Amino acid sequence: MIKVSGLRKSYGSIDALRGIDLNVRMGEFLTLFGPNGAGKTTLLKILSTIIAPTSGSVIIGGLDLKKANYEIRKNIGVISHKTFLYGDLSAMENLIFYAKMYDVPNPKARAAELIREVGLRGREDHQVRTFSRGMEQRLSIARALIHDPSIIYLDEPYSGLDQHAALMLGNLLKKLHTQTRTIIMTTHNITHGLEISDRIVIQISGKIVYEGETKDHTVKSFEKVYFEKVGKRD
Ligand code: ATP
């Protein structure tokens, strides 16, 4: 579904990505681990067409990211620390706005369906600026799902969530993980990452240094690999 080859990105003299090769199958949930500054966000930004790479190629669903930017974008949902929500609008109003932007048929019904799915019933008419971080995060997920994308990118979705909100997020992500939906997530939380993904990748200094199957690991065994790799970073 996603094929990344020789991907590089430099910001002036900073080489954020130094040759990334990565294949992600349709329906796969891949979690990307790595220390601060490893280039994880940069990779997700390129995959979601927000920024262009310096060199290398990305093929998504058979389409070349350089040529079919617009087509690819229609099929993607992005969840990051930026919620892209309007604080003065209610939860429903926000979702209806995005539904219309994506030409979703029957925006009101779709918005109501997602409000239910992310557990915000009863708060749909409240202004988003009155929401807690966890509620905002769930609404941001609903916003990203409004056009039923087959690819979802999540950049540090657990940051700032308390245990209860993190548990709700985990359950929501498990529901989103279907055979036809491909998910890539970055997180610093090994327990959460291992709990929901099929495959795990470690990225350090703009390079992928480890790829493994979640089923082959416990939290302890993966922590060992992770800290060994991070300890050796150049
Ligand atoms: P974190 O875990 O802290 O979020 P990350 O793995 O997501 O880190 P990136 O945010 O992709 O890493 O950053 C990779 C490198 O690129 C860092 O050295 C960062 O300072 C640099 N960088 C990122 N964005 C820019 C930018 N817009 N301009 C200049 N340098 C940037």
Side-chain angles (χ1 to χ4, degrees):
M1 185 68 173
I2 302 172
K3 189 170 167 49
V4 176
S5 315
L7 200 68
R8 291 177 173 271
K9 174 72 184 176
S10 304
Y11 299 103
S13 62
I14 297 170
D15 294 324
L17 299 182
R18 301 189 298 147
I20 298 274
D21 297 304
L22 185 68
N23 288 322
V24 190
R25 296 187 305 271
M26 183 196 275
E28 190 173 31
F29 193 134
L30 180 119
T31 297
L32 197 57
F33 294 95
N36 294 133
K40 306 177 300 293
T41 299
T42 298
L43 177 59
L44 287 194
K45 278 186 177 167
I46 292 174
L47 295 182
S48 45
T49 80
I50 294 170
I51 58 172
T54 304
S55 61
S57 83
V58 179
I59 308 290
I60 298 181
L63 300 170
D64 186 335
L65 191 94
K66 276 189 211 125
K67 295 177 196 142
N69 196 302
Y70 177 71
E71 281 304 306
I72 288 172
R73 201 173 299 166
K74 282 199 293 195
N75 222 1
I76 287 174
V78 180
I79 296 142
S80 70
H81 58 275
K82 238 183 132 188
T83 62
F84 302 104
L85 297 168
Y86 297 94
D88 288 341
L89 298 184
S90 71
M92 266 304 261
E93 286 166 342
N94 266 284
L95 293 187
I96 290 170
F97 169 81
Y98 280 104
K100 287 183 178 164
M101 201 170 99
Y102 279 102
D103 277 332
V104 171
N106 216 338
K108 218 172 166 180
R110 177 70 179 147
E113 183 188 351
L114 282 167
I115 291 273
R116 260 198 316 278
E117 237 173 84
V118 299
L120 284 174
R121 257 174 99 178
R123 298 299 295 263
E124 58 266 57
D125 296 326
H126 294 198
Q127 280 183 319
V128 168
R129 64 180 164 79
T130 67
F131 280 14
S132 70
R133 161 86 182 120
M135 289 163 64
E136 243 190 293
Q137 179 69 307
R138 277 184 278 146
L139 187 61
S140 151
I141 292 174
R143 192 255 317 134
L145 294 176
I146 200 85
H147 53 306
D148 196 19
S150 57
I151 298 175
I152 298 175
Y153 301 127
L154 299 124
D155 195 5
E156 304 272 0
Y158 287 95
S159 73
L161 298 187
D162 69 18
Q163 259 184 327
H164 174 70
L167 196 73
M168 285 191 78
L169 175 63
N171 289 336
L172 194 56
L173 293 182
K174 278 179 201 155
K175 274 202 266 171
L176 292 184
H177 185 196
T178 64
Q179 282 182 346
T180 52
R181 196 174 271 139
T182 308
I183 306 178
I184 303 183
M185 172 172 88
T186 74
T187 180
H188 289 285
N189 189 309
I190 290 179
T191 308
H192 288 140
L194 282 184
E195 191 192 357
I196 44 180
S197 45
D198 303 309
R199 199 147 59 92
I200 43 195
V201 164
I202 303 175
Q203 182 174 324
I204 299 177
S205 305
K207 280 189 168 170
I208 288 180
V209 297
Y210 179 84
E211 283 189 51
E213 299 285 326
T214 312
K215 64 175 170 39
D216 298 332
H217 280 287
T218 59
V219 170
K220 264 213 155 114
S221 73
F222 184 65
E223 269 175 354
K224 189 165 177 283
V225 174
Y226 183 79
F227 291 112
E228 263 171 24
K229 300 281 181 198
V230 171
K232 276 193 206 141
R233 71 177 134 159
D234 52 40

